[in-house]
């Protein structure tokens, strides 16, 4: 996994953090301002551009980031699939917003009921389908960030991803509240709780940003207590190596593990954590950049308990 990819994911998280700040402001004005005063051509342009611009930038950076970490195939696929869903959602929701704004601004002066009905139908369907893709895509993105945090052993990224997943489910309340508010315009202050939702997203993306920053800024950090060194010079920085899947230890002392290395490295020894059992053979000793399958032979493992994680 390249640090460049981590850097792009962090930039994407910053842009989406900005999006959630703007969404909080837009939601507040939507709840507290009479609809006819709120929806003008100028206001509509400002709201759409202020939400869409940072969102698109965030999606592009996150897509590039997950492409760069594509050697972590499971996490990369989930991340890219999530962003594809979010791009589609953004397009459909933008169409829906434009059509609804047009109805509010010009509908009263247009008397062709068939056209008005068609616009309303298309806008409604675009909104429903777009919202569905938005919720799914955001949930999947949170899951991808959470799994990436697990691979990196970075707790803040795991927590941030989980908060994003929870917020995606809660975001169902936003369109429901918006519809109720648009048709009733009563008890406006009771809908202020909707502002909590973009703020939860905000917290999630900030935690992801900070968590990935710990990895991006600390290339000497290791996971799973693997002893490794850069080649060919021992004086070079310690390699950043991660165990990306659970390995297997067989009864004859042979273990198969799956490692991801940020650079070409060498494994000089291995030990089963919590025991004094050490390796006497590692194949291959040299790790290439990216994913590696390593076979390690340990001394007698008769003291280990079956079906126990070490």
């Amino acid at each position: 996994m390249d640090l460049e990819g981590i850097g792009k994911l962090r930039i994407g998280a910053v842009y989406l953090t900005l999006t959630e700040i703007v969404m909080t402001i837009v939601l507040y004005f939507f709840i507290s301002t009479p609809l006819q005063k709120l929806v003008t051509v100028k206001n509509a342009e400002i709201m759409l551009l202020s939400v869409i611009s940072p969102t698109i930038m965030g999606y592009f950076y996150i897509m590039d980031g997950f492409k760069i970490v594509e050697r972590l195939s499971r996490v990369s696929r989930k991340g890219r699939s999530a962003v594809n869903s979010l791009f589609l959602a953004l397009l459909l929701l933008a169409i829906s917003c434009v059509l609804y704004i047009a109805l509010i601004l010009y509908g009263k002066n247009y008397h062709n009921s068939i056209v008005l009905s068609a616009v309303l139908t298309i806008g409604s369907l675009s909104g429903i389908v777009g919202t569905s893709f938005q919720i799914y895509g955001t949930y999947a993105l949170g899951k991808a960030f959470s799994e990436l945090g697990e691979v990196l052993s970075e707790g803040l990224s795991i927590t941030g991803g989980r908060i994003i997943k929870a917020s995606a489910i809660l975001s169902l309340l936003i369109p429901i509240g918006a519809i109720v508010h648009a048709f009733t315009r009563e008890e406006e202050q009771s809908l202020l709780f909707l502002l909590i939702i973009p703020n939860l997203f905000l917290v999630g993306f900030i935690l992801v940003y900070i968590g990935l920053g710990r990895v991006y800024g600390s290339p000497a950090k290791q996971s799973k207590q693997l002893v490794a060194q850069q080649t060919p010079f021992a004086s070079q920085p310690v390699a950043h190596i991660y165990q990306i899947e659970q390995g297997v230890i067989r009864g004859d002392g042979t273990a198969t593990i799956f490692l991801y290395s940020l650079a070409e490295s060498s494994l000089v020894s291995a030990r089963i954590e919590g025991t004094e059992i050490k390796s006497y053979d590692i194949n291959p000793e040299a790790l290439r950049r990216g994913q590696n399958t390593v076979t390690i032979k340990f001394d007698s493992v008769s003291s280990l308990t079956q079906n126990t994680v070490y």
Side-chain angles (χ1 to χ4, degrees):
M1 181 192 339
D2 291 336
L3 289 179
E4 180 187 357
I6 297 294
K8 286 183 178 293
L9 291 174
R10 294 185 75 219
I11 294 173
V14 169
Y15 275 111
L16 294 187
T17 298
L18 180 59
T19 297
E20 299 308 328
I21 293 173
V22 174
M23 278 296 300
T24 302
I25 297 170
V26 170
L27 267 177
Y28 175 78
F29 279 109
F30 180 79
I31 292 169
S32 61
T33 307
L35 196 60
Q36 293 301 327
K37 290 184 179 180
L38 177 67
V39 182
T40 64
V41 174
K42 185 176 181 179
N43 286 347
E45 291 175 351
I46 293 173
M47 286 188 295
L48 285 175
L49 288 176
S50 62
V51 172
I52 290 176
S53 298
T55 302
I56 290 177
M57 292 299 295
Y59 290 167
F60 273 122
Y61 272 105
I62 290 173
M63 177 67 83
D64 285 345
F66 278 118
K67 283 181 180 178
I68 292 174
V69 301
E70 65 183 357
R71 291 187 183 90
L72 289 178
S73 57
R74 182 185 63 181
V75 176
S76 178
R77 282 198 305 270
K78 287 182 178 180
R80 286 179 290 167
S81 174
V83 176
N84 285 331
S85 297
L86 290 170
F87 269 125
L88 179 58
L90 186 64
L91 174 63
L92 292 172
L93 290 174
I95 292 172
S96 179
C97 287
V98 169
L99 292 177
Y100 274 121
I101 289 170
L103 281 176
I104 294 171
L105 292 174
Y106 308 113
K108 290 184 178 179
N109 301 321
Y110 197 81
H111 304 292
N112 189 324
S113 60
I114 296 177
V115 173
L116 291 176
S117 297
V119 171
L120 181 62
T121 301
I122 294 171
S124 299
L125 288 175
S126 297
I128 292 171
V129 177
T131 299
S132 300
F133 274 104
Q134 178 73 25
I135 292 170
Y136 165 76
T138 307
Y139 182 91
L141 182 61
K143 187 173 184 179
F145 276 132
S146 182
E147 291 187 4
L148 182 61
E150 290 175 359
V151 171
L152 300 173
S153 298
E154 181 46 63
L156 285 180
S157 294
I158 296 172
T159 303
R162 289 173 179 171
I163 290 175
I164 293 170
K165 287 196 297 181
S167 303
I169 297 172
L170 290 175
S171 64
L172 278 168
L173 297 174
I174 291 180
I176 295 172
I179 292 170
V180 171
H181 184 56
F183 283 99
T184 64
R185 309 302 298 176
E186 296 178 356
E187 299 182 3
E188 296 176 353
Q189 300 305 315
S190 66
L191 295 175
L192 287 175
F193 76 92
L194 292 177
L195 298 178
I196 296 173
I197 297 170
N199 282 308
L200 286 175
F201 279 119
L202 183 68
V203 171
F205 285 118
I206 288 174
L207 290 178
V208 167
Y209 173 82
I210 295 173
L212 293 180
R214 289 180 174 181
V215 176
Y216 188 76
S218 304
K221 178 183 177 182
Q222 290 192 11
S223 176
K224 307 301 182 185
Q225 302 298 317
L226 294 172
V227 181
Q229 64 180 22
Q230 287 280 70
T231 57
F233 303 111
S235 60
Q236 291 184 335
V238 179
H240 206 171
I241 299 175
Y242 302 98
Q243 185 173 336
I244 57 177
E245 294 181 31
Q246 187 171 333
V248 177
I249 303 175
R250 298 176 182 82
D252 61 357
T254 302
T256 303
I257 60 175
F258 306 94
L259 305 178
Y260 195 99
S261 179
L262 287 175
E264 294 181 356
S265 312
S266 289
L267 292 175
V268 296
S269 66
R271 178 174 60 84
I272 298 177
E273 192 173 358
T275 74
E276 296 300 322
I277 301 175
K278 297 181 180 180
S279 63
Y280 65 87
D281 182 61
I282 299 177
N283 183 35
E285 291 183 346
L287 300 183
R288 66 180 184 276
R289 183 178 178 180
Q291 186 169 328
N292 298 264
T293 301
V294 179
T295 300
I296 302 175
K297 294 183 179 180
F298 290 99
D299 296 326
S300 175
V301 293
S302 58
S303 61
L304 300 182
T305 305
Q306 283 190 333
N307 303 318
T308 301
V309 178
Y310 288 93

